[in-house]
Amino acid sequence: MAIKNYQIKEGKNSITIKNMEDFNPKHIFECGQAFRWKLEEDESYTLISQGRLLNVKKEKDDIVFKGTNLQEFSQIWYNYFDLGRDYGLIKKTLSKDPILKKAILYADGIRILRQEPFETIISFIISANNQIPRIKNSIEIISENYGERLDSHLGTYYSFPSAEELGRLEVGAFKEVSRVGFRAERIIETSKIIDKREIDLDSLYKTSKNQGKETLMQLPGVGPKVSECILLFAFSKGDAFPVDTWVKRVMEHFYLKKESKLKEIEEFGAKKFGKLAGYAQQYLFYYAREEKIGK
DNA sequence: CGGCAGGTTAGTC
DNA sequence: GACTAACCTGCC
């Protein structure tokens, strides 16, 4: 078995992709889309998704994936990392804009993941008016307390719990354990709605971004920004353009040149970058944070 | 040490 | 519709 456009070396419970372009674990991890990749002492990252563990490490021009084999990789992780997407082309197109050309230099090797919908929804509900260390901490606590334990030679990790598991919890107890504060009620309510299939998450893979947004915003705790994040980071809606405080700063600084409303910025981004708005957002976000632009 | 954070909501106008 | 305070908690 081989994977199109990739040169693969199979190892014992690992595979290596040789000369892999557009794959920088640090940038993928730190561009704001995911909260659970764990940085190990050897600079590798371990992640858990769909009940599976994977360890990823960049070694010069190669990427080593431990804890998997070619069969599983092509079935699960290929899709998770969206390896069929041509980032060379995306970067080439976006580089016509001089500001993005520079941003891409900072954030080369970013990829937008296809994360699990339920985990992504809850993670971004937690992100509201919150700080990254706290967001990560809460997600970790929730997984350890309500998720499933997985032991492997990579270590012990916990999967993110299902909607069914979170939906049956009592708000007060959950709040005390998770430290999510006022977001606790929103999380439990959203879990119940999803568990009861009152909204159909699978349908969101097929619908337009705007339709998906309308659906997601029915969930408590999911507003304009969080829904754009979910659509981009779980459902690959490349035309989504989440405007958080960093993107607001960078857009005002370089493009709008004035104090602007979130909605205004979102519309500007969607119009300027079109189908690639989400990718542009990722490069700009990383650039803004690295350079502390506008702060 | 206190203001404030990768927003949403409910309540005003 | 557009605008604004309040919100848990613990980081910076």
Side-chain angles (χ1 to χ4, degrees):
Chain A
M1 192 185 308
I3 294 178
K4 199 182 161 195
N5 295 334
Y6 291 101
Q7 190 191 338
I8 296 183
K9 203 175 96 190
E10 291 187 69
K12 183 171 69 178
N13 202 30
S14 80
I15 70 162
T16 300
I17 301 186
K18 309 290 286 179
N19 301 315
M20 193 174 194
E21 291 182 352
D22 299 311
F23 196 106
N24 184 325
K26 181 178 152 66
H27 292 170
I28 295 172
F29 173 56
E30 289 173 22
C31 62
Q33 63 180 322
F35 300 101
R36 284 208 78 196
W37 291 37
K38 186 180 164 215
L39 178 60
E40 309 286 359
E41 281 179 11
D42 67 348
E43 303 283 291
S44 69
Y45 290 97
T46 305
L47 69 109
I48 179 165
S49 177
Q50 300 160 81
R52 297 154 198 271
L53 280 167
L54 183 72
N55 177 267
V56 183
K57 189 176 185 189
K58 185 170 173 63
E59 290 186 355
K60 294 187 180 156
D61 293 335
D62 303 342
I63 306 290
V64 181
F65 298 91
K66 285 185 189 162
T68 190
N69 56 45
L70 191 51
Q71 157 102 23
E72 182 195 68
F73 189 85
S74 51
Q75 247 176 11
I76 306 289
W77 301 115
Y78 182 92
N79 181 57
Y80 178 86
F81 290 109
D82 200 13
L83 293 184
R85 196 170 302 275
D86 184 355
Y87 275 76
L89 183 60
I90 291 171
K91 290 192 292 187
K92 191 177 160 193
T93 308
L94 289 176
S95 289
K96 289 173 190 164
D97 179 286
I99 295 155
L100 266 165
K101 189 170 182 175
K102 192 167 177 197
I104 288 169
L105 292 179
Y106 278 81
D108 195 27
I110 275 179
R111 306 191 73 84
I112 295 179
L113 302 168
R114 285 184 174 150
Q115 302 182 82
E116 291 181 272
F118 179 66
E119 176 175 345
T120 307
I121 290 168
I122 302 303
S123 297
F124 282 93
I125 290 176
I126 295 172
S127 80
N129 192 226
N130 210 342
Q131 299 173 124
I132 293 169
R134 273 195 63 208
I135 300 166
K136 285 185 178 174
N137 190 239
S138 285
I139 294 171
E140 218 46 52
I141 295 172
I142 291 169
S143 301
E144 280 170 22
N145 280 275
Y146 310 110
E148 216 163 293
R149 180 181 170 143
L150 259 114
D151 291 302
S152 92
H153 68 285
L154 294 170
T156 296
Y157 296 84
Y158 295 84
S159 66
F160 192 83
S162 65
E164 186 185 356
E165 284 162 302
L166 291 187
R168 60 170 171 243
L169 299 175
E170 192 261 318
V171 176
F174 175 71
K175 185 172 170 178
E176 201 152 310
V177 171
S178 63
R179 318 304 294 155
V180 294
F182 62 86
R183 305 164 192 86
E185 192 173 358
R186 300 172 182 175
I187 291 170
I188 302 297
E189 286 310 306
T190 287
S191 299
K192 284 182 183 163
I193 293 170
I194 291 171
D195 180 40
K196 285 190 277 187
R197 305 279 190 281
E198 285 171 20
I199 80 160
D200 178 15
L201 292 184
D202 284 336
S203 73
L204 298 180
Y205 284 108
K206 288 169 274 180
T207 59
S208 69
K209 188 209 76 168
N210 287 331
Q211 220 171 339
K213 186 166 184 172
E214 203 176 308
T215 303
L216 285 170
M217 281 181 62
Q218 294 173 43
L219 297 169
V222 179
K225 188 265 180 181
V226 168
S227 62
E228 295 271 328
C229 286
I230 296 165
L231 289 161
L232 184 58
F233 303 138
F235 295 101
S236 299
K237 305 296 181 202
D239 53 341
F241 192 75
V243 181
D244 57 49
T245 54
W246 286 105
V247 174
K248 175 169 156 46
R249 283 176 199 150
V250 74
M251 291 301 288
E252 286 173 345
H253 185 78
F254 287 121
Y255 293 96
L256 287 308
K257 313 273 189 194
K258 62 178 172 65
E259 190 70 61
S260 309
K261 305 276 172 232
L262 292 175
K263 192 166 182 209
E264 201 180 328
I265 298 170
E266 192 187 305
E267 283 164 1
F268 182 93
K271 194 170 172 194
K272 181 155 186 68
F273 304 119
K275 285 196 293 187
L276 299 180
Y279 303 93
Q281 191 267 8
Q282 288 294 280
Y283 294 119
L284 290 168
F285 175 88
Y286 200 94
Y287 179 34
R289 277 195 68 186
E290 286 291 297
E291 289 294 313
K292 305 203 187 313
I293 285 166
K295 200 173 181 187

